[in-house]
Amino acid sequence: MNKVMDYYSTFDEWGRLDREPLEFQINWHYIQKYLPENGCILDNGAGPGKYAMKLAEEGFQVTLTDLTPKLVNIAENKAKELQLLNQFNGFHIMDAKDLNLLKDEEFDACLMMGPMYHLQNEQDRDAAVKELYRVTKDEGVVFVAFMSRIRHTISSLLHPEAWKPNNTIDNIEEFIATGSFNHQDKGRFTGAYYFDLQEINPFMESNGFETLSLIGSSSIGSLLSKEQWDYWTDKGQVEFDRLIELLKKTATDPYTLGVSSHLLYIGKKKG
């Protein structure tokens, strides 16, 4: 886990979401759809707080947690910069597996948009979701991000040297079997766990949640190259906006979920 913390201490996660805006746009579209009208929201594993700031802007009272101290500090400074501090109930350095400072059934809704990416041990994954269940009110909605195993397999086949050790078929087959990925090169995305698509809903349901939806966070837009994005951008703002709306609509198509690198599970805590 120290390697993961080191990675996020130097990686610009806020900038990634700005550089790859489709993921945030699609996620926020569906988060808005299922959020309560008001209340207290937990952004658990929030990183620098991109979603937390948006929630605060919408008038929610937000509690932010993350494992990496630098990211918690960045988030607090961002809230000050945006004059949103009054919308926050706290900024905490906390492990998603042990939310010890938070009360039972404290939150009307919870986001967990990063921790499931890096819990390679099954017991750790269970612990994180059990803690999410504990702090969510009955009937509260949760938004949990996962990474797709088949999409990372495709990425490894397309760009094997960028995803070492997945530059041999033996290692790709091992990854498909386990879902765990540890980058061979120092400083790259590592300590990761990728889910099989068919495992996500049953995993969450076994931990007390009712499935509402599963979203491909980049939809089929993940298949477009830079040149193809440029083509649609050059068509003008109206046509480009229609493209984004199309991608939002197709994000729930179960037959295309596997092409999205990130997935958003939306569920409700059973009372």
Side-chain angles (χ1 to χ4, degrees):
M1 192 57 73
N2 285 338
K3 288 183 179 179
V4 174
M5 292 175 65
D6 290 344
Y7 173 80
Y8 283 108
S9 291
T10 57
F11 182 72
D12 180 13
E13 177 65 9
W14 187 289
R16 181 188 75 82
L17 290 170
D18 283 342
R19 292 189 302 274
E20 304 169 13
L22 183 61
E23 178 187 333
F24 184 84
Q25 289 173 313
I26 290 178
N27 280 347
W28 182 249
H29 173 77
Y30 285 98
I31 288 170
Q32 277 187 302
K33 181 178 177 180
Y34 288 97
L35 277 172
E37 290 186 7
N38 50 58
C40 295
I41 312 292
L42 171 66
D43 193 354
N44 176 24
K50 181 84 169 181
Y51 290 95
M53 301 306 146
K54 190 68 174 175
L55 289 162
E57 287 174 358
E58 294 295 317
F60 292 98
Q61 288 298 131
V62 183
T63 298
L64 182 146
T65 70
D66 198 86
L67 184 63
T68 306
K70 182 178 179 180
L71 293 183
V72 176
N73 186 54
I74 289 172
E76 187 167 5
N77 287 334
K78 183 65 70 170
K80 291 176 184 175
E81 175 189 327
L82 297 174
Q83 298 183 337
L84 292 170
L85 269 182
N86 288 341
Q87 295 300 127
F88 282 87
N89 292 333
F91 299 83
H92 305 289
I93 300 165
M94 220 180 303
D95 190 325
K97 304 188 302 294
D98 182 13
L99 303 175
N100 57 83
L101 298 180
L102 306 180
K103 299 175 184 176
D104 294 355
E105 300 184 6
E106 185 173 347
F107 299 100
D108 298 286
C110 295
L111 281 68
M112 187 160 71
M113 306 297 286
M116 299 309 295
Y117 297 170
H118 294 290
L119 299 176
Q120 295 181 327
N121 182 285
E122 183 178 2
Q123 289 181 328
D124 289 343
R125 295 193 291 275
D126 285 339
V129 174
K130 282 179 169 57
E131 277 291 82
L132 190 71
Y133 181 90
R134 179 182 66 80
V135 301
T136 305
K137 292 180 180 178
D138 287 349
E139 304 297 314
V141 178
V142 298
F143 306 90
V144 184
F146 294 88
M147 294 191 299
S148 163
R149 192 175 304 184
I150 190 63
R151 175 64 202 190
H152 192 62
T153 301
I154 294 168
S155 297
S156 298
L157 291 169
L158 289 172
H159 309 287
E161 290 301 303
W163 294 108
K164 294 183 289 187
N166 282 9
N167 58 343
T168 71
I169 296 300
D170 280 348
N171 286 336
I172 291 173
E173 287 183 337
E174 181 180 354
F175 166 74
I176 291 171
T178 66
S180 292
F181 177 77
N182 297 295
H183 209 295
Q184 184 174 307
D185 294 340
K186 186 177 179 180
R188 296 293 306 279
F189 185 78
T190 195
Y193 184 78
Y194 296 78
F195 270 74
D196 273 334
L197 292 178
Q198 66 268 23
E199 293 177 348
I200 295 172
N201 290 356
F203 168 68
M204 295 299 295
E205 289 162 6
S206 70
N207 281 288
F209 295 98
E210 173 189 342
T211 297
L212 300 177
S213 195
L214 184 63
I215 310 299
S217 298
S218 52
S219 187
I220 53 177
S222 61
L223 299 174
L224 301 181
S225 67
K226 182 182 182 302
E227 291 75 18
Q228 290 159 345
W229 276 109
D230 289 343
Y231 172 87
W232 290 106
T233 301
D234 291 343
K235 287 276 191 178
Q237 192 63 48
V238 172
E239 192 77 348
F240 184 79
D241 288 346
R242 291 186 67 192
L243 168 63
I244 298 301
E245 291 306 309
L246 174 67
L247 295 176
K248 289 175 183 177
K249 290 176 184 176
T250 58
T252 57
D253 186 336
Y255 297 102
T256 63
L257 287 174
V259 302
S260 183
S261 56
H262 296 85
L263 303 158
L264 181 65
Y265 173 89
I266 304 172
K268 180 170 66 174
K269 178 178 174 178
K270 296 177 184 177

